[in-house]
Amino acid sequence: MAQDSVDLSCDYQFWMQKLSVWDQASTLETQQDTCVHLARFQEFLRKMYEALKEMDSNTIFERFPTIDQLLAKACWNPFILAYDESQKILIWCLCCLINKEPQNSRQSKLNSWVQGVLSHILSALRFDKEVALFTQGLGYAPIDYYPSLLKNMVLSLASELRENHLNGFNTQRRMTPERLASLSRVCVPLITLPDVDPLVEALLVCHGHEPQEILQPEFFEAVNEAVLLKKISLPMSAVVCLWLRHLPSLEKAMLHLFEKLISSERNCLRRIECFIKDSSLPQAACHPAIFRVVDEMFRCALLETDGAPEIIATIQVFTQCFVEALEKENKQLRFALKTYFPYTSPSLAMVLLQDPQDVPRGRWLQTLKHISELLREAVEDQTHGSRGGPLESWFLFIHFGGWAEMVAEQLLRSAAEPPAALLWLLAFYYSPRDGRQQRAQTMVQVKAVLGHLLAMSRSSSLSARDLQTAAGQGTETDPRAPAQQLIRHLLLNFMLWAPGCHTIARDVITLMAHTAEITHEIIGFLDQTLYRWDRLGIESPRSGKLARELLKELRTQV
Amino acid sequence: MESLLQHLDRFSELLAVSRTAHVRTWDPVTVRRALQWARYLRHIHRRFGRHGPIRTALERRLHNQWRQEGGFGRGPVPGLANFQALGHCDVLLSLRLLENQALGDAARHHLVQQLFPGPGVPDADEETLQESLARLARCGSAVHMLRFNGYRKNLNLQEDSLMKTQAELLLERLQEVGKAEAEGPARFLSSLWERLPQNNFLKVIAVALLQPPLSPRPQEESEPSIHKTPGEGSQALVHWLLGNSEVFAAFCRALPAGLLTLVTSRHPALSPVYLGLLTDWGQRLHYDLQKGIWVGTESQDVPWEELHNRFQSLCQAPPPLKDKVLTALETCKAQDGDFEVPGLSIWTDLLLALRSGAFRKRQVLGLSPGLSSV
């Protein structure tokens, strides 16, 4: 408590000084400085109120002799009054100064003074004597017409901005850069006032004709903050303009999404999908410049976490939402694929962007083979200074979970000889960094496992141990090695699908999951599989039921 | 119903008193009761705002009150401006009391407590009085900041936001007054003419006459009934202007040519009177042989340039008006003797100037062949 009160005194001095410098915020510098400090000042006011409400008027003045000056100065600054709830908290603070039972004339005068200041705050700052006289003459009070006056001013400014945007050549009617900058500053405290939305939208969408950015960065930051916290509702076009014009805002929006994803329940793709759709980033990403930035941030996240499966899953969900948004876009200008994926051959991009739902089931195998060929070509092509090499191709491939997660299933479902192309694709998906030798070895290993599993799928009674042996597990190799992960997933896949395995499923998992990390991995796998099955509508009722039950049980274990 | 109307009466009295020194006698109980009444009426407005009979009854009562206060010839109404105002009558009352320094200490303290109870559970249904007041403060700051940092006076007055707002208010008021009393608008306008700064008033009238007619739509609670039917209000204005020649003369003198042309195009009833005025002004000028120009005899006579300006503007108006103007000019010219030579009849000279101006304009725009220099 004592520390709090010392802090408050320090803050008090700081803000007193600031307010004196700001005065009525009529210059560029004072306006900018006020804008930057608005949120912090409001916090200070809240703290002051908490302190003041516990004291009576006399005590307040003993503790803060200049409190009346501080509050009065704040009231004279229209930016402060316009911001969020500052005007309310100021009023509460002022109310604390009133003496319940004034003992002398000085205290009475103070009460009068407080009443006067309160009235001033609410008197809707008079201007334009003529207007005031006119409205009074008609019998109206400000409360009767201020909302519609504000509306008219906002609409008029918005249409001026639009005209400025369209009339490039008519220099007489141009809005000067100073006026534009001034307008954007003035909007900073008003962002969350719904009446001002048309003006904010116009400022974002109409960018005039200067080569460099005129609007104040504080404006963009304030709008972005309000958009992320859902305190303002702007049309998508305005949000896209915001993110195109002010890169830090886009980055902040991505970080905001990441934070939400991290702090939410692990391994729940449905929730991830909700968050992603909610963020409006997929729609915005229809604009290639935004897509590139978003993709880059995903790439960084992937590198930093060394290919964490959660990030991969997020990228897949994002891409799926993005593709859906792209379909819905009714724009006349459709951007070429190359602008989204500049380092990829157009044919590969086009194949990958196909939704498996749109391809007849019978052709899935064919499509996967084609993808494999194109990817292999890209990966093994070391010439022409291809960017990034195998990792780049892998990064591209993992975007498209619809196909990537399908490879194992396709391999397991067919009784015929597993196609080399699919084996290669599977090995590549799980370990992109492998050299040719290593990959060939993995392919051989997978082929062997597939053979064993196929044989076992025909027998009616199986034990968990049988399966484990067939998969070549239980050896001393590092359980986290990519090939091990691959085999684990093959096994799980098989287990969900093969009829004889449903009874031994739990045993298999118990044997498999000797660490918490692997349990999480299995949960992730089950969640992802169910999510994908739901989307494509390919699950068999028994498999689905089993998967759901297993998922539920495992979730309670961790 | 009767008790509701009595409530309204008493509240209007209260509202009127709240501005006077009489509040010195108020104690906390009075303050509380006053606010309760306001809250009750506001609630009534919300619930029955769309309810025909109740709304009509309340409106009629308000109109009665105004009539009793001396109708519209006197001054602004001290109580509620219209039915819409009931929607925020608690704010109105609160503001008046807060502005009134005659309030005693106990009453003041109680008032402030009632208005600003502090952070609490927000009411899900209605906005609390505290919220309304905070929003008013915020709105006021917004207007202030936009006014001084973004607003620039629009040279087309009818598009200027301050002008538009005043015009909308005038039209709304006229409509309200018209409902209360048939002769209301005319008397009301005359009283405004006496009391208000005349220059601004004339501009507002012009802008009001140019407001677009709006399609009827269901009345919204949140907005004031400003956009209802500007038609009625405009008609009242035209009627009044035509009935007050002194005002109309000032109207035509003070306002810019372009604006008057727009107004006259929109309201054809005004064009004969406008043309008549212009004709009168023209006839007061005589030709000064030495200087070679048309001049007036007295200082307040309209000079040639202005006259020419106005006619030029009228000739750029769309057909019915333009033709009327040209016909009028031709008629005047004929009456004067139908001269073709300049310097004898101002109407000849005007027509010559207008035609050559038009010719010059066509040249500049590249519409007719000819000498490039004029």
Side-chain angles (χ1 to χ4, degrees), chain B residues 139-158:
Chain B
C139 203
S141 295
V143 169
H144 178 97
M145 288 201 293
L146 285 177
R147 169 71 183 82
F148 289 115
N149 289 286
Y151 170 77
R152 203 181 50 181
K153 191 160 163 190
N154 196 323
L155 295 173
N156 292 336
L157 281 179
Q158 70 272 25

Short mmCIF file of all heavy atoms in Angstrom, two decimals, chain B residues 139-158:
data_model
loop_
_atom_site.label_atom_id
_atom_site.label_comp_id
_atom_site.label_asym_id
_atom_site.label_seq_id
_atom_site.Cartn_x
_atom_site.Cartn_y
_atom_site.Cartn_z
N CYS B 139 -18.87 13.14 -27.37
CA CYS B 139 -19.38 13.64 -28.64
C CYS B 139 -19.01 15.12 -28.82
O CYS B 139 -18.57 15.53 -29.90
CB CYS B 139 -20.89 13.49 -28.61
SG CYS B 139 -21.67 13.43 -30.19
N GLY B 140 -19.17 15.88 -27.75
CA GLY B 140 -18.83 17.29 -27.81
C GLY B 140 -17.37 17.51 -28.13
O GLY B 140 -17.02 18.37 -28.95
N SER B 141 -16.51 16.73 -27.49
CA SER B 141 -15.08 16.85 -27.79
C SER B 141 -14.80 16.49 -29.23
O SER B 141 -13.97 17.13 -29.89
CB SER B 141 -14.26 15.91 -26.91
OG SER B 141 -14.36 16.28 -25.59
N ALA B 142 -15.48 15.47 -29.71
CA ALA B 142 -15.27 15.05 -31.09
C ALA B 142 -15.61 16.19 -32.04
O ALA B 142 -14.84 16.50 -32.96
CB ALA B 142 -16.14 13.84 -31.40
N VAL B 143 -16.76 16.83 -31.80
CA VAL B 143 -17.16 17.93 -32.66
C VAL B 143 -16.14 19.06 -32.58
O VAL B 143 -15.73 19.62 -33.60
CB VAL B 143 -18.56 18.44 -32.28
CG1 VAL B 143 -18.86 19.73 -32.97
CG2 VAL B 143 -19.61 17.40 -32.62
N HIS B 144 -15.72 19.36 -31.36
CA HIS B 144 -14.74 20.43 -31.16
C HIS B 144 -13.47 20.14 -31.93
O HIS B 144 -12.94 20.98 -32.65
CB HIS B 144 -14.45 20.55 -29.67
CG HIS B 144 -13.42 21.56 -29.33
ND1 HIS B 144 -13.72 22.85 -28.94
CD2 HIS B 144 -12.07 21.49 -29.32
CE1 HIS B 144 -12.62 23.52 -28.71
NE2 HIS B 144 -11.60 22.72 -28.93
N MET B 145 -12.97 18.92 -31.81
CA MET B 145 -11.70 18.59 -32.46
C MET B 145 -11.83 18.60 -33.97
O MET B 145 -10.96 19.10 -34.68
CB MET B 145 -11.20 17.24 -31.98
CG MET B 145 -10.70 17.30 -30.55
SD MET B 145 -9.59 15.97 -30.16
CE MET B 145 -10.71 14.62 -30.25
N LEU B 146 -12.93 18.06 -34.47
CA LEU B 146 -13.11 18.04 -35.91
C LEU B 146 -13.27 19.46 -36.43
O LEU B 146 -12.77 19.81 -37.49
CB LEU B 146 -14.32 17.20 -36.29
CG LEU B 146 -14.13 15.70 -36.18
CD1 LEU B 146 -15.43 14.97 -36.51
CD2 LEU B 146 -13.03 15.22 -37.11
N ARG B 147 -13.95 20.27 -35.66
CA ARG B 147 -14.18 21.64 -36.08
C ARG B 147 -12.88 22.40 -36.23
O ARG B 147 -12.67 23.12 -37.19
CB ARG B 147 -15.09 22.32 -35.05
CG ARG B 147 -15.21 23.82 -35.18
CD ARG B 147 -16.03 24.17 -36.40
NE ARG B 147 -16.10 25.59 -36.58
CZ ARG B 147 -15.16 26.33 -37.15
NH1 ARG B 147 -14.06 25.75 -37.59
NH2 ARG B 147 -15.31 27.63 -37.28
N PHE B 148 -11.98 22.20 -35.28
CA PHE B 148 -10.74 22.99 -35.31
C PHE B 148 -9.58 22.30 -36.00
O PHE B 148 -8.55 22.91 -36.19
CB PHE B 148 -10.35 23.39 -33.88
CG PHE B 148 -11.28 24.42 -33.32
CD1 PHE B 148 -12.08 24.13 -32.23
CD2 PHE B 148 -11.41 25.65 -33.91
CE1 PHE B 148 -12.97 25.07 -31.73
CE2 PHE B 148 -12.29 26.60 -33.42
CZ PHE B 148 -13.08 26.31 -32.32
N ASN B 149 -9.75 21.04 -36.37
CA ASN B 149 -8.61 20.37 -36.98
C ASN B 149 -8.90 19.74 -38.32
O ASN B 149 -8.02 19.22 -38.96
CB ASN B 149 -8.12 19.25 -36.06
CG ASN B 149 -7.46 19.81 -34.84
OD1 ASN B 149 -6.35 20.30 -34.90
ND2 ASN B 149 -8.13 19.75 -33.73
N GLY B 150 -10.12 19.76 -38.74
CA GLY B 150 -10.36 19.08 -40.00
C GLY B 150 -11.35 19.84 -40.84
O GLY B 150 -11.31 19.84 -42.06
N TYR B 151 -12.25 20.52 -40.14
CA TYR B 151 -13.33 21.19 -40.84
C TYR B 151 -12.81 22.36 -41.66
O TYR B 151 -11.95 23.12 -41.22
CB TYR B 151 -14.35 21.67 -39.82
CG TYR B 151 -15.40 22.58 -40.37
CD1 TYR B 151 -16.45 22.07 -41.10
CD2 TYR B 151 -15.33 23.96 -40.16
CE1 TYR B 151 -17.43 22.90 -41.61
CE2 TYR B 151 -16.30 24.79 -40.67
CZ TYR B 151 -17.35 24.27 -41.40
OH TYR B 151 -18.30 25.09 -41.90
N ARG B 152 -13.34 22.47 -42.85
CA ARG B 152 -13.06 23.66 -43.64
C ARG B 152 -14.37 24.06 -44.25
O ARG B 152 -15.12 23.21 -44.74
CB ARG B 152 -12.05 23.30 -44.73
CG ARG B 152 -11.27 24.50 -45.24
CD ARG B 152 -10.33 24.08 -46.32
NE ARG B 152 -11.03 23.30 -47.33
CZ ARG B 152 -10.42 22.79 -48.39
NH1 ARG B 152 -9.14 22.96 -48.55
NH2 ARG B 152 -11.09 22.09 -49.27
N LYS B 153 -14.64 25.34 -44.23
CA LYS B 153 -15.96 25.78 -44.71
C LYS B 153 -16.12 25.43 -46.17
O LYS B 153 -15.27 25.74 -47.00
CB LYS B 153 -16.04 27.30 -44.51
CG LYS B 153 -17.40 27.83 -44.70
CD LYS B 153 -17.52 29.20 -44.04
CE LYS B 153 -18.74 29.92 -44.57
NZ LYS B 153 -18.79 31.29 -44.18
N ASN B 154 -17.22 24.79 -46.48
CA ASN B 154 -17.47 24.40 -47.86
C ASN B 154 -18.03 25.58 -48.62
O ASN B 154 -19.00 26.20 -48.19
CB ASN B 154 -18.45 23.23 -47.89
CG ASN B 154 -18.46 22.52 -49.23
OD1 ASN B 154 -18.34 23.16 -50.26
ND2 ASN B 154 -18.62 21.22 -49.19
N LEU B 155 -17.42 25.90 -49.75
CA LEU B 155 -17.88 27.06 -50.50
C LEU B 155 -19.28 26.86 -51.06
O LEU B 155 -20.00 27.81 -51.30
CB LEU B 155 -16.89 27.39 -51.62
CG LEU B 155 -15.53 27.82 -51.06
CD1 LEU B 155 -14.51 27.98 -52.18
CD2 LEU B 155 -15.66 29.12 -50.29
N ASN B 156 -19.62 25.61 -51.31
CA ASN B 156 -21.02 25.33 -51.65
C ASN B 156 -21.77 25.23 -50.35
O ASN B 156 -21.77 24.20 -49.70
CB ASN B 156 -21.14 24.02 -52.42
CG ASN B 156 -20.52 24.10 -53.79
OD1 ASN B 156 -20.40 25.18 -54.34
ND2 ASN B 156 -20.11 22.97 -54.31
N LEU B 157 -22.42 26.32 -49.95
CA LEU B 157 -23.04 26.36 -48.64
C LEU B 157 -23.96 25.19 -48.35
O LEU B 157 -24.05 24.74 -47.22
CB LEU B 157 -23.83 27.66 -48.48
CG LEU B 157 -23.01 28.90 -48.16
CD1 LEU B 157 -23.93 30.10 -48.05
CD2 LEU B 157 -22.26 28.71 -46.86
N GLN B 158 -24.65 24.73 -49.39
CA GLN B 158 -25.63 23.67 -49.13
C GLN B 158 -24.96 22.35 -48.77
O GLN B 158 -25.62 21.43 -48.34
CB GLN B 158 -26.58 23.49 -50.31
CG GLN B 158 -25.96 22.88 -51.54
CD GLN B 158 -25.34 23.92 -52.44
OE1 GLN B 158 -24.96 25.01 -51.99
NE2 GLN B 158 -25.24 23.62 -53.71
#
